[in-house]
Each structure stands twice: as structure tokens, then as C-alpha cells.
Amino acid sequence: MKTPGFWYRPDGPAARLLSPLGALYGLAGRLRRACTTPRRAPVPVICIGNLVAGGAGKTPVAIAVAAALKDRGRAVGFLTRGHGGAERGPLAVDLARHDTAAVGDEALLLAAHAPTWVARDRAAGAQAAAAAGAGLLILDDGFQNPHLHKDLSLVVVDGAVGFGNGRLVPAGPLREPVAEGLARADAVVVMGEDRAGIAALAAPLPVLHARLEPTAEAAALRERPVLAFAGIGRPEKFFATLRDLGALVVEAVPFPDHHPFTPNEVMRLAERAAALGATPVTTAKDAARLPEAARAMVRVLPVTVAWRDPAALDRLLDRVAPPVPESV
């Protein structure tokens, strides 16, 4: 789905017209949570979620948290729904066998960093992952899913746009009211500059500040003409990252979130870039959805999460996953 522009503009006619549907959406979620008893997994579960539909930076944060847990000597596994994939699971992702049609783009990104399980039934997925040796699970998304108990929940928020117009889907981007969501969270992660006053809204919860930072190899794009394209929640964020890096974005092409690229689409993008004397560039998540034969035609912008205060993350992880003592 392409994110409606009015979601991130001041309240307007479309948002007001759709607000009754948003109220019903919120009521359905509230009833679902009230009528469900979460099941505990055999191992601790850390949820990386958000309150809005679309991208806020959850997957990069999940990967960064996994790296921090590995440094603590923990055997980490990822658990995800596999959005966009046909497999219902529980299924261990195999990068040699599975593609986005089977398990979705996020599962492939996660599996490059740690063992990953796809499961529509998150509680069953947690059981399967623990049986396979995961000592701790990171739930990528699933904050609104009531079936699995979370031992630690981090809500990720895009600092540039916050919670948009403050209305519920489809009148706005919210999956649930902000106050209700934050009441179940243990901490908030603000991605990028906090231009929306998220820290004040989140009080008294701990607020971690982080940003997506291109890796060293991305420096090759500086002062280079690029045709940027992305099918993520907010493609504009990717385009801004390229500009901040110093790339010359001569054309920016947005696609709907999780868009499945066809060979013809990629060829047209490559031909358009060639006509502009530019390099076609996309995100790592989009690259997972490119036809395999077309991937060599496109440059990927790799990013990592940089924490303003890594010790703040350590204090949160201490609650559920203290460092494993080194053996003598």
C-alpha cells in the first residue's frame, strides 16, 4: 500500500471523513487485545514495534539490537510474520532456498544476521525457534499482536514525522491510539532528529535516540548523480538520506510499501538512469525484492543504526538479557 499523503499533513477533510472507520479499527484492536491471553515463550522475547503503519526503522533497529545481544554472548533468533510472503510457518528461513515470494523481504534481511523464523502464529513460531536453539528472540514488528508475551517492548518512531495527523487507519497512520500503545511499551526509540516532540509525548518512558547512518562503502555515492527508488513506508526518508550523504539525486521514484518489482520495471529504471547519466540506487529492503537477474544493475545503499547513547540500550537489555559471563 502506498502511504496516503494526508496521513502526515495537518488534519484535513479526508482524515475527518474517514475518522469513523478509524474509530472502528481502534475498537477492533482493543477488543482483540482484551480477549486474548498472551502465551509465554520458553525464552525471553524482545519486541521491536511501532504505532504506525509503514516504515519507522524497525528492521534496522532489530538488527542493531541483535548485534548488541550477540556481544553479550546471547544466542539470538529473529521472529517475524513474513509480510508479503506466502509461507505461514513456523518456518526457519534458508537464504539458499527462500525468496521474498515465500518469506517476504524483511525475513531475508534478518536472516543475513541471525537465524530467523517466519510464523503467522507468533507463539508457535517462538516455540519452534526455542526448540531449534534460540536462547532469546527478537520479534520484528508484532507489537499489536496479543498472542505472544513480550518481556521487553521498544517502540520505534520516525522523529521527522512522529505519529502523523494523530488519527487511526485509514484516517491516519496509527495502528492504535498513542496513549494506549505507549502504556504497553518499555521504551521509545526516536529515529533521527526529534522534530515531532516524541520525547515529551513518551515521558516518563526511557527515550533512546538513534539514526540511520550509511556505511563507509556508501561514500562512493557522494557527488555522484543517482536515480533513487524505494518501496518502503516513507520513501522520502531514503531520498533525504542520499541527499544528506552528498549524492546528487537527479530523480526520485517512490513505490508502494513492499512493492514486488518486475524485471520490466527494473529495466525501465535502469534505462531512465542511463539517460540521465545516473546510477540507480535503492534500499537493502527493496533490493531483496528485485528479480535476481536484475540486482547487478542496481546499487544498494547499506545503512546501520548509530545510537546516541549506547549505554541507554545496555541498561534496557540488562533487564532481560544480562551479559553471559566469560568462561574461565
Side-chain angles (χ1 to χ4, degrees):
M1 183 186 79
K2 193 168 184 177
T3 301
F6 69 84
W7 279 6
Y8 289 99
R9 290 197 293 266
D11 221 7
R16 290 194 292 272
L17 180 66
L18 293 170
S19 63
L21 293 177
L24 289 175
Y25 182 91
L27 177 62
R30 199 173 297 120
L31 289 173
R32 183 184 181 214
R33 289 187 290 273
C35 296
T36 304
T37 301
R39 290 167 56 189
R40 277 192 174 272
V43 297
V45 173
I46 297 177
C47 177
I48 311 296
N50 69 4
L51 302 186
V52 301
K58 295 186 307 297
T59 299
V61 170
I63 291 169
V65 170
L69 289 165
K70 287 180 184 178
D71 288 344
R72 291 168 165 250
R74 295 286 176 168
V76 182
F78 289 115
L79 178 61
T80 182
R81 180 182 182 276
H83 184 84
E87 293 285 354
R88 299 188 63 85
L91 174 74
V93 176
D94 183 344
L95 290 174
R97 292 194 306 114
H98 296 133
D99 58 13
T100 55
V103 298
D105 50 16
E106 289 159 350
L108 295 180
L109 284 180
L110 296 170
H113 296 271
T116 300
W117 284 264
V118 163
R120 305 290 170 89
D121 182 336
R122 310 298 172 82
Q127 292 284 342
L136 185 146
L137 284 171
I138 297 177
L139 181 61
D140 182 28
D141 211 353
F143 182 69
Q144 283 76 29
N145 186 303
H147 296 284
L148 182 63
H149 173 81
K150 291 92 173 174
D151 296 279
L152 183 71
S153 291
L154 309 184
V155 168
V156 182
V157 187
D158 184 340
V161 295
F163 304 115
N165 63 11
R167 292 186 181 268
L168 299 179
V169 173
L174 287 172
R175 297 175 172 184
E176 61 178 310
V178 173
E180 291 181 19
L182 294 182
R184 300 197 316 279
D186 295 292
V188 170
V189 178
V190 177
M191 296 298 293
E193 184 182 348
D194 186 1
R195 300 175 188 168
I198 304 303
L201 282 173
L205 288 175
V207 176
L208 283 65
H209 294 269
R211 67 182 185 279
L212 290 179
E213 196 171 76
T215 61
E217 61 194 272
L221 295 174
R222 190 169 292 122
E223 298 183 1
R224 187 169 178 174
V226 301
L227 181 149
F229 68 96
I232 56 177
R234 271 210 327 120
E236 297 80 9
K237 185 164 61 173
F238 170 62
F239 304 149
T241 298
L242 281 168
R243 293 186 182 102
D244 292 343
L245 176 66
L248 307 177
V249 181
V250 296
E251 192 163 320
V253 186
F255 288 88
D257 198 11
H258 298 285
H259 178 74
F261 293 98
T262 66
N264 284 341
E265 281 177 327
V266 181
M267 183 59 70
R268 286 197 297 270
L269 288 166
E271 290 173 349
R272 176 61 177 163
L276 294 169
T279 301
V281 181
T282 194
T283 71
K285 184 177 284 191
D286 287 293
R289 283 180 272 110
L290 295 178
E292 189 171 354
R295 290 175 189 170
M297 302 165 61
V298 176
R299 188 77 176 262
V300 177
L301 180 70
V303 295
T304 59
V305 171
W307 302 97
R308 182 189 296 179
D309 179 13
L313 176 64
D314 286 334
R315 288 191 292 272
L316 284 172
L317 297 183
D318 282 341
R319 299 183 188 181
V320 295
V324 175
E326 293 186 13
S327 57
V328 180

